[in-house]
Amino acid sequence: MANPQNQKPPFALRALGAFAATLAVLFALLLAAYALPGGPVRDHVYTSAQTIAEEGLYPEYFGFKLFQMDNYTDTVMLFEAASADEAPPLTAMMTNTAYNVDNFETLAEDLQWYIEKDWSTGAQRTDAPALTPFSYARYWHGYLIWLRPLLLVTTITGVRIVQYAVLLALLAAVLWLLRRRCGLRACLWFAASQLLVTVFWVPHQVQYFTCFALGYAGCVWVLAKPRRSDALCLALLVLGAATAFCDLLVTPILTLGLPLVCWLLEPQQRLRAGLPQCGVVVGGSLCWGVGYLLCWASKWVLAGLVTGQNVIADALHQVGVRTAADTWHGMELTWSNIFAFVYNALNERRLLWPLAAALVLLAALFVRSIRGRQPLIRALPLLLCTLMTPAWFIVLRTHSIQHGWFTWRALGLTLFSGMAFLYYSCDIRAVGRRIKR
């Protein structure tokens, strides 16, 4: 009989403890960031605003929309870093003050005006534009944990350099561990998938960097040594909470899917692949979702208690805006309108029927190249991970379409998992053998 003293507590109790510990650590770190002196931060924010004003709010590499940067959001982040000591740390942390301006295109210049005010009296220069503070309290804004300390000693250029160093180190660690534990193919699948979503530009923006860094860190933890399924689920819960704490709804699904696929590709998991592993994928996804939603909800409750604002109502309204039909370039984003838009756009360019024919051909090629029933069943967990990003896009269709020029990078998960799924479920040589028969 097992010794009761050696038995682990129930999973639900361990999950609650993991969530509470994660939230407590992140809360303390963010509170410490808000308590830092504001003078040096504002000095570096001022120079950063000049840099962004020179670059523009939405610069595009090679003139391609999907290679567009988002200096606008990073400028809002800089506003929050600069205004963090307008109130006591806890109040400022719950309020998350940013500023509205009459013309969003002048946001970087308006940030410079904000820095130039007389901080001894709080008075703004008489020739400054109207800067209206507003509360951005529905998010935790956990990126300030590293952004504000870095702004003590450097500008946005230095922040980008640090982010490049961190992300490249994490990427190198993931690739090395994948090669060591899962083989060369898995390493190449990961490298190709991340290059195809332009990971080399991700550290240029604070908001792009967050989910990739968390996702890669999760992969490193998963691959560092063999992990049990319950430990994996607890880790995904922690990642879900950390994602909600630090991210602004950019590519959060990466922090769930990338570590999960790495776990599925390990040899000991491939031996047990199949329907039982589908249960792990579903269970792990639920744990990530619980951590994600609870962390968000905790901010709404705490911010409401501290500030007296109805943060919950504002947050629920924003959830509706991002999931329900809205407008994009004057078009209501209902499913019928979306399908009609895609149909008309392809038809006008005479791409509809060639694309349809290519899809039919690829589907037929997939069916003919399936290794067999058992290999397909064993690869089903990878198929579930492949579909995570499309499912996320469907649930948050308004947000995903309106901000498609950065949300598309979540397809790095689909590419990574999809290549693994096709390798384990298909054999292109089987097509030739079946044709000969």
Side-chain angles (χ1 to χ4, degrees):
M1 179 181 294
N3 187 346
Q5 293 182 347
N6 295 329
Q7 290 181 351
K8 292 182 178 180
F11 179 81
L13 190 60
R14 286 187 287 152
L16 180 61
F19 174 79
T22 302
L23 187 59
V25 170
L26 292 172
F27 187 99
L29 290 173
L30 186 57
L31 187 62
Y34 269 89
L36 295 173
V41 171
R42 281 188 291 275
D43 290 341
H44 290 110
V45 167
Y46 187 84
T47 306
S48 302
Q50 292 175 321
T51 300
I52 289 177
E54 293 173 1
E55 294 176 349
L57 293 182
Y58 297 107
E60 294 180 9
Y61 290 110
F62 306 114
F64 187 42
K65 184 69 173 177
L66 294 184
F67 296 169
Q68 179 176 293
M69 298 295 101
D70 187 8
N71 279 341
Y72 175 87
T73 301
D74 275 17
T75 305
V76 173
M77 294 173 168
L78 291 173
F79 249 126
E80 292 178 349
S83 67
D85 60 342
E86 287 186 351
L90 181 59
T91 303
M93 177 178 159
M94 292 293 109
T95 306
N96 307 110
T97 301
Y99 283 81
N100 281 323
V101 294
D102 292 334
N103 182 2
F104 80 92
E105 294 179 352
T106 65
L107 187 64
E109 291 83 357
D110 294 328
L111 177 54
Q112 295 175 60
W113 282 112
Y114 171 78
I115 301 296
E116 289 177 356
K117 79 178 183 180
D118 184 352
W119 280 85
S120 62
T121 63
Q124 195 72 46
R125 282 176 48 176
T126 57
D127 55 347
L131 300 178
T132 306
F134 75 96
S135 176
Y136 208 171
R138 65 180 178 273
Y139 289 103
W140 277 104
H141 304 277
Y143 49 82
L144 291 170
I145 289 173
W146 67 89
L147 179 59
R148 203 153 190 271
L150 286 174
L151 288 171
L152 273 177
V153 295
T154 188
T155 65
I156 190 66
T157 302
V159 171
R160 291 168 178 172
I161 291 171
V162 171
Q163 290 183 163
Y164 266 101
V166 170
L167 198 68
L168 288 176
L170 287 171
L171 177 59
V174 175
L175 293 176
W176 182 77
L177 287 167
L178 276 172
R179 174 67 180 87
R180 180 168 172 263
R181 293 190 52 78
C182 305
L184 179 61
R185 288 190 184 91
C187 175
L188 294 176
W189 295 333
F190 192 89
S193 68
Q194 302 311 291
L195 288 174
L196 287 170
V197 296
T198 64
V199 66
F200 38 82
W201 284 327
V202 165
H204 190 76
Q205 307 288 163
V206 178
Q207 66 151 335
Y208 295 175
F209 166 81
T210 303
C211 288
F212 277 83
L214 286 173
Y216 289 1
C219 293
V220 170
W221 182 87
V222 164
L223 294 167
K225 68 177 185 178
R227 306 288 185 182
R228 292 167 51 94
S229 58
D230 59 339
L232 172 71
C233 290
L234 289 175
L236 291 175
L237 184 144
V238 169
L239 280 172
T243 303
F245 199 92
C246 299
D247 178 47
L248 290 182
L249 206 61
V250 181
T251 51
I253 198 67
L254 293 178
T255 69
L256 164 63
L258 292 180
L260 193 50
V261 175
C262 287
W263 187 79
L264 291 171
L265 290 178
E266 291 186 335
Q268 68 271 24
Q269 306 308 330
R270 291 300 311 150
L271 292 172
R272 296 194 292 266
L275 295 180
Q277 299 290 43
C278 289
V280 175
V281 172
V282 172
S285 300
L286 290 174
C287 288
W288 182 91
V290 167
Y292 188 78
L293 294 175
L294 278 182
C295 186
W296 236 4
S298 65
K299 177 60 190 299
W300 305 343
V301 173
L302 288 173
L305 292 173
V306 172
T307 67
Q309 302 172 13
N310 193 350
V311 180
I312 295 177
D314 174 59
L316 292 178
H317 169 71
Q318 293 298 328
V319 169
V321 168
R322 283 155 175 75
T323 57
D326 202 342
T327 58
W328 177 69
H329 292 290
M331 180 184 74
E332 188 179 1
L333 291 175
T334 61
W335 285 116
S336 58
N337 285 345
I338 292 170
F339 289 133
F341 172 79
V342 173
Y343 175 88
N344 292 330
L346 293 175
N347 201 33
E348 288 173 3
R349 294 167 175 79
R350 298 182 179 179
L351 294 174
L352 179 64
W353 294 114
L355 183 59
L359 291 175
V360 170
L361 180 61
L362 289 173
L365 183 62
F366 169 73
V367 171
R368 297 295 292 176
S369 64
I370 292 175
R371 295 175 184 269
R373 184 171 178 271
Q374 284 304 315
L376 182 61
I377 292 175
R378 289 171 61 83
L380 282 179
L382 291 168
L383 178 60
L384 291 180
C385 294
T386 303
L387 297 175
M388 282 179 176
T389 298
W392 182 270
F393 286 167
I394 289 170
V395 173
L396 279 82
R397 69 179 186 274
T398 299
H399 178 267
S400 300
I401 292 172
Q402 289 177 336
H403 303 290
W405 46 276
F406 63 71
T407 59
W408 76 278
R409 288 189 175 86
L411 291 170
L413 166 60
T414 297
L415 293 169
F416 176 41
S417 186
M419 284 186 276
F421 168 72
L422 290 174
Y423 175 79
Y424 286 113
S425 64
C426 298
D427 181 358
I428 196 67
R429 294 171 296 183
V431 177
R433 291 196 296 268
R434 287 166 182 166
I435 291 176
K436 289 180 182 178
R437 286 202 296 260

